[in-house]
């Protein structure tokens, strides 16, 4: 359901999360709305959608409008006039002691962009389009305290923020890396042991073929000619 900015407060049932969806793409907005209002979400989300960061600012009372009660902001990163990153910084500056959770979405999975948003206070970064597997991440962010979700957030190695490099360089990080390498080597040795009998048979077969070939060569170059001479005599 797409609602206009302004008016009275958003009244929802207890336990329903009020999500301000900010995206300039009608298709992406519709995809997110359908997902969060689907049966799998069991009515746990109430979505208010706007098509620009400026309208979101007005809705949150950051540009002279009346502030509306919101539990979470789900915003696109790339938008005209005002980006989702700028909106993120404005929301976090609104109430530093109890900021509204902000999740940034983007179609580009760039490590620098992810680190930039997380360092600015974003609770999470999701690659568009929004999928059903991301719903639980939204629920987790709604109850997470500010800046607590960032260190615990698990990302693929190329996407880790720069602070993770220091952890990897620590003794505990090195021990964890060595343990991971040992597990890989162990699993590789187990897999190779399964193919060892077959490899041995292949080697024996190749050796036998080479021996037969050598015998045939000797027979054709020596013994075969002597037999043919005796037959003609």
């Amino acid at each position: 359901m797409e609602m206009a900015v302004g008016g009275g407060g958003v009244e929802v049932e207890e336990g329903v999360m009020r999500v301000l969806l900010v995206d300039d793409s009608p298709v992406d907005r519709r995809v997110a709305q359908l997902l969060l209002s689907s049966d799998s979400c069991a009515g746990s989300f109430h979505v208010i959608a706007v098509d620009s960061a400026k309208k979101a600012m007005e809705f949150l009372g950051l540009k002279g409008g009346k502030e509306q009660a919101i539990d979470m902001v789900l915003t696109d990163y790339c938008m005209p006039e005002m980006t989702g990153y700028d909106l993120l910084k404005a929301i976090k500056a609104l109430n530093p002691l109890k900021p509204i959770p902000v999740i940034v979405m983007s179609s580009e999975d760039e490590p620098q962009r992810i680190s930039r948003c997380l360092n600015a206070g974003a609770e999470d970064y999701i690659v568009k389009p929004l999928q059903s597997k991301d719903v639980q991440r939204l629920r987790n962010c709604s109850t997470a305290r500010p800046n607590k979700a960032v260190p615990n957030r698990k990302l693929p190695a190329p996407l880790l923020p720069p602070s993770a490099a220091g952890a990897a360089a620590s003794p505990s990080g090195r021990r964890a890396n060595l343990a991971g390498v040992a597990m890989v080597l162990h699993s590789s040795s187990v897999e190779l042991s399964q193919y060892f009998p077959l490899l041995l048979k292949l080697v024996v077969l190749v050796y036998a073929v080479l021996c037969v070939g050598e015998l045939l060569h000797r027979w054709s170059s020596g013994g075969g000619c002597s037999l043919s001479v005796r037959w003609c005599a």
Side-chain angles (χ1 to χ4, degrees):
M1 176 174 59
E2 199 159 339
M3 299 180 62
V5 177
V10 180
E11 296 182 1
V12 297
E13 297 179 2
E14 184 177 357
V16 177
M17 191 184 310
R18 294 161 294 191
V19 179
L20 178 60
L21 173 63
V22 190
D23 200 321
D24 63 314
S25 169
V27 174
D28 290 335
R29 283 202 311 274
R30 188 57 179 166
V31 168
Q33 287 177 292
L34 290 175
L35 176 62
L36 297 180
S37 60
S38 63
D39 294 337
S40 60
C41 293
S44 55
F45 295 97
H46 178 83
V47 181
I48 303 97
V50 294
D51 58 7
S52 71
K54 288 187 175 182
K55 290 183 179 180
M57 295 272 287
E58 295 175 3
F59 192 88
L60 296 171
L62 296 174
K63 294 195 69 175
K66 183 179 179 182
E67 181 181 355
Q68 308 293 323
I70 288 295
D71 298 312
M72 177 189 302
V73 175
L74 182 61
T75 178
D76 185 26
Y77 184 92
C78 293
M79 292 184 291
E81 298 184 10
M82 183 178 184
T83 67
Y85 176 73
D86 294 330
L87 177 61
L88 164 66
K89 293 192 298 182
I91 293 174
K92 294 302 178 179
L94 175 63
N95 188 353
L97 298 179
K98 192 178 179 181
I100 300 173
V102 179
I103 294 88
V104 179
M105 301 183 297
S106 176
S107 57
E108 298 182 15
D109 196 6
E110 295 183 358
Q112 292 182 350
R113 179 175 294 182
I114 295 174
S115 298
R116 185 186 187 196
C117 292
L118 295 180
N119 291 334
E123 272 65 29
D124 206 342
Y125 183 102
I126 297 177
V127 179
K128 294 197 302 183
L130 197 67
Q131 302 179 44
S132 56
K133 63 181 182 180
D134 301 319
V135 172
Q136 187 57 45
R137 295 168 64 177
L138 298 180
R139 291 194 177 105
N140 294 340
C141 291
S142 67
T143 56
R145 293 182 179 179
N147 301 326
K148 292 294 183 181
V150 176
N152 297 331
R153 184 173 182 269
K154 296 181 180 180
L155 290 171
L159 305 181
L160 286 174
S163 59
S170 64
S172 59
R174 287 194 294 269
R175 287 195 295 269
N177 291 338
L178 290 175
V181 172
M183 292 178 63
V184 171
L185 292 177
H186 175 71
S187 61
S188 300
S189 62
V190 172
E191 293 178 358
L192 289 176
S193 64
Q194 296 176 354
Y195 295 101
F196 182 75
L198 180 61
L199 182 62
L200 182 60
K201 292 180 182 179
L202 182 61
V203 172
V204 172
L205 179 60
V206 172
Y207 180 75
V209 171
L210 291 176
C211 291
V212 172
E214 180 65 22
L215 291 175
L216 292 175
H217 176 69
R218 292 182 179 180
W219 181 83
S220 62
S221 60
C225 293
S226 60
L227 289 175
S228 60
V229 172
R230 291 176 184 175
W231 178 259
C232 293

